[in-house]
Amino acid sequence: MTPSTPTAAVVIGAGISGLTTGVVLAEADVKVRIISASRPDQTDSAKAGASWGPYMVSHDRVTAWSAETYKELEKIAGHRGSGIRLLPGVEAFTEDGYRAWSSRTAVPPAWATQIPSFEERRRGGDERGLPRGYFYGWHYTIPIVNMPAYLEYLTHRFKAAGGDLITGSAVESFDGARELAGFSDREAVVVNCSGLGSYELVPDSTMAPTMGQLVIVRNPGIGEFFQDNPVPGELESTHIFPQGDIVVIGGCDRLFQPGDPWIAAEPDPLIRKRILERAEAIRPELRGVEVLAERVGLRPVRTDQVRVEWDRRRSLRLIHNYGHGGAGVTLSWGCALKVGRLFGVLSPSDESEAVGMPTLGGVLAG
Ligand SMILES: Cc1cc2nc3c(=O)[nH]c(=O)nc-3n(C[C@H](O)[C@H](O)[C@H](O)COP(=O)(O)OP(=O)(O)OC[C@H]3O[C@@H](n4cnc5c(N)ncnc54)[C@H](O)[C@@H]3O)c2cc1C
């Protein structure tokens, strides 16, 4: 820290972005207060699947931020009860999906090939683990995250580093957040991690959420994950994420029509049926398993790109970290470390080089 480095931060939001940012700053000896309308377990972050891998997000640092997150999650996976598992599995494309994506971006993408365990799969070549109906893919080991458990882990870690968490307080302005935290203008920086809340708070009219639905079932003994990438524009996909005793199965992107309220709807029974049918076709042992719960949540998609930067047009010191789309888990540490660098508590030279790949799903988001 230099003498001009701020000493306190008010972080708005207790989803994965706010909590991870809170941990980075508090562990660098910044006095941090998180203010959030909802508890961590009530956020959209708690609804995610979740697997590492950028989806529905764009920024020229996506690959670098994803890699930084991978490294941190790999370390945390060693902590019992953290909710992080490093699991092997397959990511696959149908022939149509492969051709459509290949005409738009590099397949396989750089964020996947940088993983040391990455191995290609191809119909007619090495087909191991490629389910029937799929043409191309890869096998690798990635973090699979049990979100409720991981958010609890982050909350404990944040508090252990001296951070304060205030929930049940919706703020109407950035000044209001700083006042609520009880910090003076001179000492504190406000960090906006309000996800979709940024639509009104910033205000940012480029926010355009999609709704995701997941089914949680009892695990019949599945140890590897599976996920596919349907043709661009197709709103339903298949992912199977084993997490100990349960398997989290998805998924879909339900779009909002103009005028629709941005709230998580009740689970759609037809979507549930299709999610289960697709998963059973890939993993027949899922047939007839007990459904334990369902989750519906919103992805805070920003049609421009994820926003992690100083907002210099304000009278107070404000850093944004929002708009992570379908990749808030994947980008969480990369973006939080970036906030630490902007803040001045981490050295800018820590930042690895950008590769600048567009991501699968980015076209849909844009
Ligand atoms: C079904 C589903 C599956 C997903 N799967 C994956 C996956 O596999 N991998 C992946 O990387 N990502 C996945 N995502 C996306 C990921 O969950 C999001 O990108 C991420 O959770 C966004 O986190 P966040 O902290 O920015 O926002 P949120 O979790 O929405 O948190 C926002 C916080 O801000 C607070 N807030 C908002 N407005 C205000 C205000 N005015 N005053 C005070 N507080 C406020 C809220 O209360 C909340 O605490 C998935 C999402 C869904 C819905």
Side-chain angles (χ1 to χ4, degrees):
M1 276 203 216
T2 66
S4 60
T5 306
T7 55
V10 187
V11 175
I12 304 173
I16 192 160
S17 306
L19 289 173
T20 314
T21 303
V23 168
V24 164
L25 296 177
E27 290 184 352
D29 292 331
V30 176
K31 193 161 61 169
V32 188
R33 208 151 275 169
I34 294 180
I35 296 183
S36 174
S38 47
R39 293 195 319 254
D41 63 337
Q42 299 166 327
T43 60
D44 280 308
S45 294
K47 309 291 176 9
S51 67
W52 177 94
Y55 174 67
M56 295 192 92
V57 72
S58 65
H59 195 287
D60 65 4
R61 297 203 60 80
V62 158
T63 300
W65 287 337
S66 302
E68 285 184 303
T69 304
Y70 189 109
K71 270 193 223 152
E72 293 298 324
L73 295 180
E74 196 173 26
K75 281 187 228 159
I76 297 169
H79 295 249
R80 230 180 123 74
S82 64
I84 311 282
R85 291 179 171 79
L86 287 177
L87 290 185
V90 165
E91 178 141 358
F93 296 73
T94 61
E95 188 161 0
D96 286 349
Y98 175 69
R99 294 199 192 294
W101 280 113
S102 301
S103 69
R104 293 170 177 227
T105 185
V107 179
W111 51 262
T113 54
Q114 71 186 349
I115 304 301
S117 54
F118 176 92
E119 284 177 5
E120 255 180 337
R121 298 288 188 258
R122 189 183 289 276
R123 196 60 69 204
D126 184 347
E127 301 184 351
R128 283 175 299 154
L130 209 53
R132 191 139 46 99
Y134 289 91
F135 172 76
Y136 176 82
W138 54 84
H139 185 274
Y140 62 177
T141 295
I142 54 168
I144 299 289
V145 187
N146 177 327
M147 288 304 289
Y150 182 53
L151 294 175
E152 211 177 308
Y153 163 86
L154 286 175
T155 304
H156 282 302
R157 188 163 156 183
F158 171 66
K159 289 183 177 171
D164 281 341
L165 173 60
I166 302 168
T167 58
S169 295
V171 298
E172 285 174 14
S173 69
F174 295 119
D175 279 310
R178 203 197 51 226
E179 280 160 24
L180 194 64
F183 291 146
S184 72
D185 187 13
R186 213 166 307 136
E187 65 177 342
V189 167
V190 177
V191 187
N192 171 30
C193 300
S194 65
L196 203 48
S198 292
Y199 177 74
E200 285 184 348
L201 205 50
V202 174
D204 185 340
S205 61
T206 69
M207 297 303 291
T210 71
M211 201 187 313
Q213 180 170 329
L214 302 172
V215 187
I216 321 293
V217 303
R218 202 174 291 289
N219 191 349
I222 294 174
E224 293 213 356
F225 77 87
F226 172 82
Q227 57 192 357
D228 70 5
N229 289 280
V231 287
E234 168 61 61
L235 296 179
E236 297 200 12
S237 56
T238 305
H239 43 258
I240 302 171
F241 301 145
Q243 300 179 7
D245 292 343
I246 61 166
V247 186
V248 176
I249 306 176
C252 68
D253 283 301
R254 289 164 68 181
L255 307 179
F256 288 94
Q257 300 306 317
D260 283 355
W262 288 351
I263 48 170
E266 286 300 306
D268 181 325
L270 289 176
I271 292 181
R272 178 203 311 142
K273 186 168 175 281
R274 292 198 294 268
I275 285 175
L276 289 172
E277 282 170 358
R278 287 194 304 272
E280 287 164 11
I282 288 162
R283 287 294 202 161
E285 60 268 53
L286 286 170
R287 244 171 239 141
V289 289
E290 185 186 356
V291 173
L292 301 169
E294 284 179 273
R295 289 189 207 154
V296 179
L298 306 188
R299 298 180 177 89
V301 177
R302 189 168 185 259
T303 53
D304 189 359
Q305 57 179 18
V306 53
R307 187 172 187 200
V308 191
E309 61 184 11
W310 281 106
D311 187 338
R312 299 191 186 279
R313 295 164 308 162
R314 311 273 174 167
S315 55
L316 82 176
R317 290 188 287 180
L318 173 65
I319 296 174
H320 293 295
N321 180 12
Y322 71 91
H324 302 79
V329 182
T330 309
L331 300 179
S332 55
W333 282 94
C335 292
L337 292 168
K338 172 71 181 176
V339 172
R341 290 177 194 118
L342 294 172
F343 202 94
V345 290
L346 299 180
S347 152
S349 61
D350 292 343
E351 206 157 336
S352 49
E353 281 304 301
V355 178
M357 291 288 300
T359 65
L360 304 178
V363 177
L364 182 62

